[in-house]
Amino acid sequence: MLRVGFLGLGVMGQPMAVNLARHLAAGGGTPLLVWNRTAARCEAVRAAGGRVARDAAEVLRESDVVFLMLADGGAVDAVLGRGTGAFRGLVGGRTLVHMGTTSPGYSHGLAADVRAAGGRYVEAPVSGSRGPAEEGQLVAMLAGDGPAVETVRPLLGPMCRDAADCGPVPNALLTKLSVNLFLITMVTGLTEAFHFADRHGLDRDTFLAVLDAGPMASTVSRAKAPKLRDRDFAVQAAALDVLKNNRLIAEAARAAGLASPLLDVCHALFDETVGLGHGGADMVAVLHAIEARTAAEDSAATPSSARA
């Protein structure tokens, strides 16, 4: 029976780990072993039947498969002891599942190091925000050696409604970045459309009803449009994380010699959103950046004598 660990219980990781812990507990399997830098976030997993480790090293030592849902490559390297003498002992003989969003180049290098240390490596980034994570409705993208992928696939069931095979590393992350490019531009477009309608004095509910009845309606629009109407910026996917994703996509585009004109506009808007202090808010907080630009336009169009 596989021993399973989970490192990283942030906005996405916590509900994912809760679902996995509940599934393992219900099936009579070895309890999920978790660790998180902020210990209080482990309690929901404990309540779902999981166990809490003293540190990340304990999770790695006592698990056959370890899911990593960490903020960035620096956090992954730190918990794995990458670049230190401890690395081989922590990852050798284990299957590491990288579920966070990092650059494809970083993942490719990590995969090589894990294999050299005697471990197995699977990319499994996910598409979805906190709501789908809580409901176990994420979509995973898988890349890695066939046997390792097949070991991991059944464990994704409690967290994901679907899992797509993407081939070798880093194709899963490249697929995730492609999906996120669409998501970022789509939500930014929705936000600008809402701002346009709102500033023209249109009824917000009517605008949402027309959008929902039309061909552009989607799971994303049905989740985000009501948040815009209500100015509800409670986080599902944080603006700061969207900016990080935007940077990763832009870097991958530049490395491949690709133009990304829509992404570049969104990049500037999310940079402004974070600069205005809304990095911890949901991505629809890009509305603040658009409103700030409108205010600047209004100011520029108003004669100085009128402003006085």
Side-chain angles (χ1 to χ4, degrees), residues 118-253:
R120 301 195 298 176
Y121 183 84
V122 175
E123 277 182 350
V126 294
S127 181
S129 58
R130 184 173 178 86
E134 291 173 340
E135 296 162 6
Q137 292 295 302
L138 298 169
V139 175
M141 290 144 276
L142 291 166
D145 296 333
V149 168
E150 292 312 310
T151 296
V152 170
R153 192 188 303 277
L155 296 171
L156 295 173
M159 300 180 281
C160 304
R161 62 177 171 83
D162 200 3
D165 290 305
C166 299
V169 173
N171 280 7
L173 272 167
L174 285 168
T175 303
K176 171 68 185 292
L177 295 184
S178 302
V179 169
N180 278 6
L181 196 162
F182 181 39
L183 173 66
I184 292 167
T185 55
M186 177 170 58
V187 172
T188 305
L190 171 65
T191 303
E192 185 173 336
F194 174 82
H195 178 66
F196 179 90
D198 198 42
R199 290 305 171 99
H200 279 86
L202 302 182
D203 181 79
R204 294 179 175 184
D205 288 327
T206 300
F207 171 70
L208 263 64
V210 172
L211 176 65
D212 196 44
M216 288 85 70
S218 67
T219 302
V220 172
S221 69
R222 289 174 180 136
K224 298 302 185 185
K227 290 176 73 64
L228 287 164
R229 178 195 60 201
D230 301 335
R231 296 188 74 85
D232 170 17
F233 301 113
V235 66
Q236 292 175 332
L240 183 59
D241 290 335
V242 173
L243 178 60
K244 181 191 81 169
N245 275 263
N246 209 314
R247 288 172 177 157
L248 290 173
I249 300 166
E251 289 168 4

Side-chain angles (χ1 to χ4, degrees), residues 60-141:
L60 289 158
R61 286 193 302 266
E62 296 191 11
S63 302
D64 303 304
V65 177
V66 180
F67 290 93
L68 307 171
M69 193 60 174
L70 297 161
D72 52 34
V76 173
D77 289 347
V79 300
L80 297 182
R82 191 177 180 203
T84 74
F87 180 72
R88 179 175 293 273
L90 290 174
V91 307
R94 294 163 183 85
T95 299
L96 301 186
V97 188
H98 177 33
M99 302 193 81
T101 305
T102 60
S103 75
Y106 168 83
S107 182
H108 189 269
L110 178 60
D113 287 352
V114 169
R115 290 169 186 144
R120 301 195 298 176
Y121 183 84
V122 175
E123 277 182 350
V126 294
S127 181
S129 58
R130 184 173 178 86
E134 291 173 340
E135 296 162 6
Q137 292 295 302
L138 298 169
V139 175
M141 290 144 276

Side-chain angles (χ1 to χ4, degrees), residues 269-289:
L269 284 167
F270 276 96
D271 193 41
E272 292 163 25
T273 302
V274 172
L276 289 167
H278 304 291
D282 189 72
M283 66 187 298
V284 295
V286 72
L287 178 64
H288 293 296

